[in-house]
Each structure stands twice: as C-alpha cells, then as structure tokens.
Amino acid sequence: MTGERRWECATTSLSATLGVHRRGAHDPAYRVAADRSVWRAVDTPDGPGTLALAQRSGTVSARAWGPGARWLLDAAPDMVGAADRPQDLHADDPVLARLVERAPGLRIGRTGRVWEALVASILEQKVTGTEAYRGWRYLLSRYGEPAPGPVPADMRVPPPRQVWRDITESDWHRSGLEPVRMRTIRAAALVDVESKVDVLTALRGVGEWTAAHTRIRALGDPDAVPVGDYHTPSVVGTALVGERIDDARMLELLEPYRGQRYRVVRLCEVAGGMPQRRGPRMSTRDYRDF
C-alpha cells in the first residue's frame, strides 16, 4: 500500500523534532535525503512501513509505503509535533528566551510506538552512543525486514516485539552489547508495554532514565527528565548558567518549568551548544571479544 497527505503547519524543524529517533549516523531505520526530507522505517500495528516527511513553505507532506502506510499517514502530524504546545513554556528568563528564539521550529512529537522507543532506550542504558548504535545497526540488519518503498537497500524496519524476544544469545553477543540488555528486553517482551507506559519502572531493568526517554519518543512528554544521563546535566548547565552541573542542580534549575522540563532540556541540546570536554571520555567497550 502507498499513500500521501499534506497539511499546513507552522515553521517546524524536521531535523530537530525527529532527530531524537535517530540512532547514529548510519541508523538502518532513519535517513535524511538530499532534499532534507526525513525517512523513517517503523513497525506499526498494521505491519512494516516507511514514512517520508518533507516541509515546504509552511506545508508538511508525508508519503508512506507498505502494510503500515495508512497508520503512518494518520500518525504523521503527531510525529512532527502538530499537536505540540510550545507556547506552554513561559520563557521569562532572558537566557531561556534566547534559546527559544534560536530554535523556532523545535517541536516535541510523539510516535505512539512505546515498544520501539523502549527497546532503543534499553540499548542505550549506561553505554556510549557508539556501543548502542553499533548494536542497533547489527540487530536491525540481522532481524529487521527490508523497508518498503523506494528506499536504500540497507534500510530496515525494527523487528516486532516477538522477534526481539527470540533473538539468539549468539547474535546478542555479536551485537557487542552486554547480556543485561538481552535479559531486560526479553523480560519486557513478555509484557504489553503499550498499555503499561505509565508504570514502565515496574519492569526489571527499567529505571527513570529509560522510562523518561521512552515517554519522550513515544508520547511526546514535554516534562520527562532523563535523570542519570552522562551528558544532559552538563548540556543544561552550560546553556542556562554557563557551567557544568550534576543531576541535582539540573533538577533545581528546571523546577520553575515543571510541566515543560524536557522542552527546556531539548532547547538546551538544540540551541545551547555542547559543553567543552574536560577529563576522560566515557570509554567504548566491545563485548564481542569476550
């Protein structure tokens, strides 16, 4: 099945809004085309599908292919934040107001795909991006279906929940990820997480950081704060007060914006610039050699 739809939309930065779903520069489920359109391969409730999103002169266009095409076209406006309310953030502080001015097209979208967001967040727990993205690429290349539509041959749809549960231990090892990721994902695959999104931390191996990133991607939660992140406090601190801070200080700075705290975090990431590196970087490990 194929389809297309268009709708009028205020200025939206597709790269900033959809970039939270990109798992590295070579993500098999995400591409940015030469015309700057964003392509995503998604496992929908109706089956695999590919969605291409582009913006021209205040109009967003969506094209979709595969069994999940109709579902993706229906969900597309939410994915690019059409229902988001950035005006709910009252940026009275001049520093925050400048960040808002620098990122006028930033929206917080929602995919509605809790399982996809949860798996990606579990893979990213307490590891470098390099480790998580390498594992994601390997597992999608091995277990994901080819993305439908006129896409590059290496694009893949993330596997459905039952396939993640059945990934072999040997392939988990080849992915380079720790066995604890496998155990957490297998346990979560036994639960209907789509209906448990408000109590994800009840799952073994799922903490506040993982639950927050899942809510951000799947629900577009503007208040979900990823406490425990290696970089986020420094990004927020550098943008808001010009210094590196810890989680406690970050939560203190974000408290006046309760209800919109993640929006502030995302503004700092997109418009605040990265803090200067100090000290050793988090090391990249490779469990494939063990």
Side-chain angles (χ1 to χ4, degrees):
M1 179 178 178
T2 63
E4 184 173 356
R5 69 177 296 188
R6 299 174 185 270
W7 65 95
E8 293 185 2
C9 185
T11 301
T12 301
S13 171
L14 293 181
S15 61
T17 300
L18 296 170
V20 295
H21 306 296
R22 187 176 195 175
R23 285 101 194 185
H26 305 289
D27 183 349
Y30 190 108
R31 289 290 190 278
V32 179
D35 64 358
R36 301 179 68 182
S37 60
V38 176
W39 294 60
R40 292 198 66 222
V42 181
D43 176 50
T44 80
D46 297 332
T50 302
L51 178 68
L53 292 157
Q55 185 175 36
R56 300 288 186 277
S57 303
T59 299
V60 175
S61 63
R63 291 177 292 159
W65 298 265
R70 176 50 54 192
W71 189 94
L72 286 169
L73 291 174
D74 290 342
D78 279 344
M79 290 186 184
V80 299
D84 186 34
R85 293 180 53 84
Q87 67 270 24
D88 288 348
L89 174 63
H90 301 292
D92 298 327
D93 178 82
V95 173
L96 184 56
R98 284 195 293 272
L99 295 179
V100 172
E101 290 176 359
R102 292 173 189 165
L106 175 64
R107 299 291 183 270
I108 299 175
R110 57 176 182 259
T111 66
R113 305 304 292 138
V114 176
W115 175 253
E116 176 190 285
L118 177 61
V119 167
S121 299
I122 291 172
L123 295 182
E124 293 167 3
Q125 291 174 341
K126 299 179 181 179
V127 297
T128 65
T130 298
E131 290 176 71
Y133 301 154
R134 181 186 61 207
W136 175 260
R137 286 196 306 273
Y138 175 81
L139 293 172
L140 263 63
S141 298
R142 181 77 173 83
Y143 288 91
E145 289 190 37
V151 301
D154 62 343
M155 274 197 80
R156 292 291 183 273
V157 179
R161 184 170 52 149
Q162 64 270 22
V163 173
W164 282 101
R165 183 186 59 204
D166 296 336
I167 292 175
T168 66
E169 291 190 21
S170 59
D171 273 331
W172 276 107
H173 183 75
R174 292 186 186 100
S175 77
L177 294 165
E178 294 174 289
V180 67
R181 311 280 174 263
M182 174 191 71
R183 292 193 292 269
T184 300
I185 288 173
R186 284 182 172 178
L190 299 174
V191 179
D192 178 14
V193 297
E194 307 294 330
S195 66
K196 303 288 186 182
V197 66
D198 291 328
V199 289
L200 287 176
T201 54
L203 300 175
R204 186 180 69 179
V206 176
E208 291 185 9
W209 184 92
T210 305
H213 274 291
T214 302
R215 292 184 64 85
I216 288 164
R217 291 161 169 164
L219 304 185
D221 187 342
D223 197 50
V225 183
V227 175
D229 192 89
Y230 188 73
H231 298 292
T232 299
S234 293
V235 171
V236 172
T238 300
L240 297 183
V241 294
E243 62 185 46
R244 303 170 75 90
I245 58 175
D246 59 14
D247 275 332
R249 177 62 173 145
M250 177 180 70
L251 290 173
E252 181 182 334
L253 290 174
L254 294 175
E255 183 58 31
Y257 311 106
R258 180 171 287 275
Q260 298 290 316
R261 292 177 297 174
Y262 173 66
R263 192 182 307 280
V264 176
V265 171
R266 188 65 179 144
L267 283 166
C268 292
E269 292 174 341
V270 171
M274 294 298 292
Q276 183 178 357
R277 291 189 180 274
R278 295 178 182 175
R281 298 184 179 187
M282 189 175 179
S283 60
T284 299
R285 300 161 294 181
D286 194 338
Y287 292 90
R288 294 173 295 184
D289 295 330
F290 291 3

